Amino acid sequence: MPPKTFSQIVLRDRPDAHILPDTFESKTKAFDELHVGKGQALVQVTYLSLDPAMRGWIKDRRSYVPPVKIGEVMRSGGLGVVVSVGEESKFKMGDLVSGRFGWTEYAVADDKSMEKISPLPGSTSLDFLNTLGMTGMTAYFGLHDVGQLKAGETLVVSGAAGAVGALVCQLGKRAGARVIGIAGTPVKCAWLEGDLGVDKALNYKSPTFREDFSEAVGYLDVYFDNVGGEILDLALSRLNQNARVVLCGAISAYNDPKPKGLVGYLNLNLQRAKMQGFIVSDYAKQYPVAVKEIAAGLADGSIKSKFHIVDGFQNAPSALPMLFSGANAGKLVVKVSDEHSMSPTL
């Protein structure tokens, strides 16, 4: 029998700074409110992806997507199992799918908003929330299209132990670059050097970080920025001529109601460098190119993925702030249900 009710988590308030315990609230919904229409499917959500961009989605400001509304299910990518299909749906019961289901245990979704996933050699379904999903596409196109990395160049990556940063480091090594990663603990630095093979990992919390940075980097060709703030300013002071600064994220400023501006931006002019932002969805038509290369790396073991799994749908709100404190070790996901746990059709 299908469940009588299911849970959703909605946005309750817009915090000025850090996400608070009352930023979100749980709602219980009647299962019979779910109606599957033509070209739709009912999905039981199995995993939710937690990403830094979600902090921006709950701010009421102009952006590349509309903000999540108060009372609306929190936006999120995820994985799920199709448990019921509507007329003319291209899916069938039992299909594993990825989509932007949001923070909900069950979702009715249009066929066009989902993709069927089939794990490739060396990968698992979870990789479609990481290296083979938006995380991987962000790393790939940010590095290769915006950063234009070439063999023999020096690549510096901030937030290097995060999901995007870790993959950027590995793609940089595959491209033949000298790679320097920045992280916030000795354990993360050791993982970057020992497991991912970066040439040098720097702890930004070290009292000698600025000196360590200058000594290790010299001058950089590509800076892949995930954090913004003072570390971005430091990187701007160490640019080679024609360097490229890739603006992927600014996690140090997401919870700051009055983030500070840059000081060293004039070096962009002096070194004929460029600094550019990007939105990964602009590359949607090119995703297969990235998936093919990343999948090959997963298959031969040259690309590794690491996950930090939080168990329990109800823990999504308390898990999200981990991204901004550095408490997670790997791609942060929430386990909602088992992939084999299929409810009967409506």
Side-chain angles (χ1 to χ4, degrees):
M1 294 290 292
K4 293 182 178 180
T5 62
F6 67 100
S7 295
Q8 295 181 333
I9 297 174
V10 304
L11 181 64
R12 180 183 177 277
D13 192 24
R14 301 189 192 278
D16 292 327
H18 294 278
I19 292 170
L20 302 172
D22 63 353
T23 297
F24 303 98
E25 64 178 334
S26 181
K27 297 284 188 179
T28 300
K29 306 288 286 186
F31 191 78
D32 60 13
E33 292 181 18
L34 296 169
H35 301 287
V36 183
K38 184 177 180 179
Q40 293 183 323
L42 174 64
V43 176
Q44 181 180 8
V45 177
T46 54
Y47 286 93
L48 297 171
S49 175
L50 300 186
D51 301 284
M54 296 169 71
R55 181 63 184 87
W57 295 344
I58 62 175
K59 291 183 177 181
D60 190 9
R61 68 178 185 186
R62 179 171 176 258
S63 186
Y64 60 97
V65 291
V68 178
K69 297 177 181 178
I70 299 296
E72 186 177 11
V73 172
M74 181 58 195
R75 183 183 298 140
S76 171
L79 303 178
V81 180
V82 173
V83 295
S84 181
V85 296
E87 183 183 353
E88 297 184 12
S89 173
K90 67 181 181 182
F91 297 103
K92 64 180 187 297
M93 285 184 59
D95 282 348
L96 298 179
V97 291
S98 64
R100 192 169 283 182
F101 305 121
W103 284 5
T104 183
E105 292 181 304
Y106 288 88
V108 174
D110 294 334
D111 280 10
K112 63 183 179 181
S113 70
M114 299 184 290
E115 293 288 340
K116 181 179 178 179
I117 60 173
S118 300
L120 302 167
S123 71
T124 69
S125 59
L126 265 183
D127 284 306
F128 288 87
L129 292 183
N130 191 14
T131 50
L132 298 176
M134 288 301 100
T135 296
M137 303 305 98
T138 300
Y140 185 92
F141 292 106
L143 182 63
H144 291 305
D145 188 78
V146 181
Q148 295 287 311
L149 182 69
K150 303 176 185 65
E153 291 189 323
T154 294
L155 165 67
V156 178
V157 184
S158 62
V164 171
L167 183 54
V168 171
C169 288
Q170 295 177 85
L171 292 174
K173 291 302 297 181
R174 283 174 66 88
R178 183 172 74 100
V179 179
I180 297 167
I182 302 170
T185 70
V187 171
K188 290 180 178 180
C189 288
W191 176 68
L192 288 168
E193 291 183 356
D195 287 41
L196 301 193
V198 304
D199 296 281
K200 183 66 178 179
L202 303 173
N203 185 348
Y204 72 86
K205 295 180 181 178
S206 167
T208 60
F209 170 65
R210 297 183 71 88
E211 293 81 5
D212 297 340
F213 186 95
S214 296
E215 180 179 350
V217 173
Y219 293 97
L220 62 90
D221 300 292
V222 177
Y223 177 61
F224 197 104
D225 183 34
N226 289 303
V227 304
E230 293 181 359
I231 298 178
L232 172 56
D233 249 329
L234 178 59
L236 291 177
S237 72
R238 307 300 299 181
L239 300 177
N240 264 327
Q241 284 191 14
N242 301 308
R244 288 82 68 200
V245 177
V246 182
L247 296 180
C248 179
I251 202 166
S252 70
Y254 288 165
N255 291 319
D256 189 343
K258 294 183 179 180
K260 300 177 180 62
L262 294 174
V263 175
Y265 64 91
L266 285 178
N267 285 321
L268 293 166
N269 185 31
L270 298 176
Q271 299 304 326
R272 298 81 154 173
K274 72 174 183 178
M275 183 162 64
Q276 181 180 340
F278 71 103
I279 300 298
V280 67
S281 56
D282 293 343
Y283 296 92
K285 292 182 179 180
Q286 301 175 56
Y287 287 172
V289 175
V291 169
K292 181 178 180 181
E293 179 173 339
I294 295 170
L298 290 170
D300 66 23
S302 62
I303 290 179
K304 301 177 177 66
S305 59
K306 183 178 182 180
F307 293 91
H308 187 127
I309 300 174
V310 175
D311 193 34
F313 175 66
Q314 73 280 4
N315 293 318
S318 60
L320 183 57
M322 295 172 66
L323 292 167
F324 309 103
S325 65
N328 60 302
K331 167 63 184 168
L332 186 60
V333 299
V334 174
K335 183 178 181 181
V336 180
S337 65
D338 293 325
E339 289 181 349
H340 58 76
S341 176
M342 291 174 51
S343 298
T345 58
L346 290 171

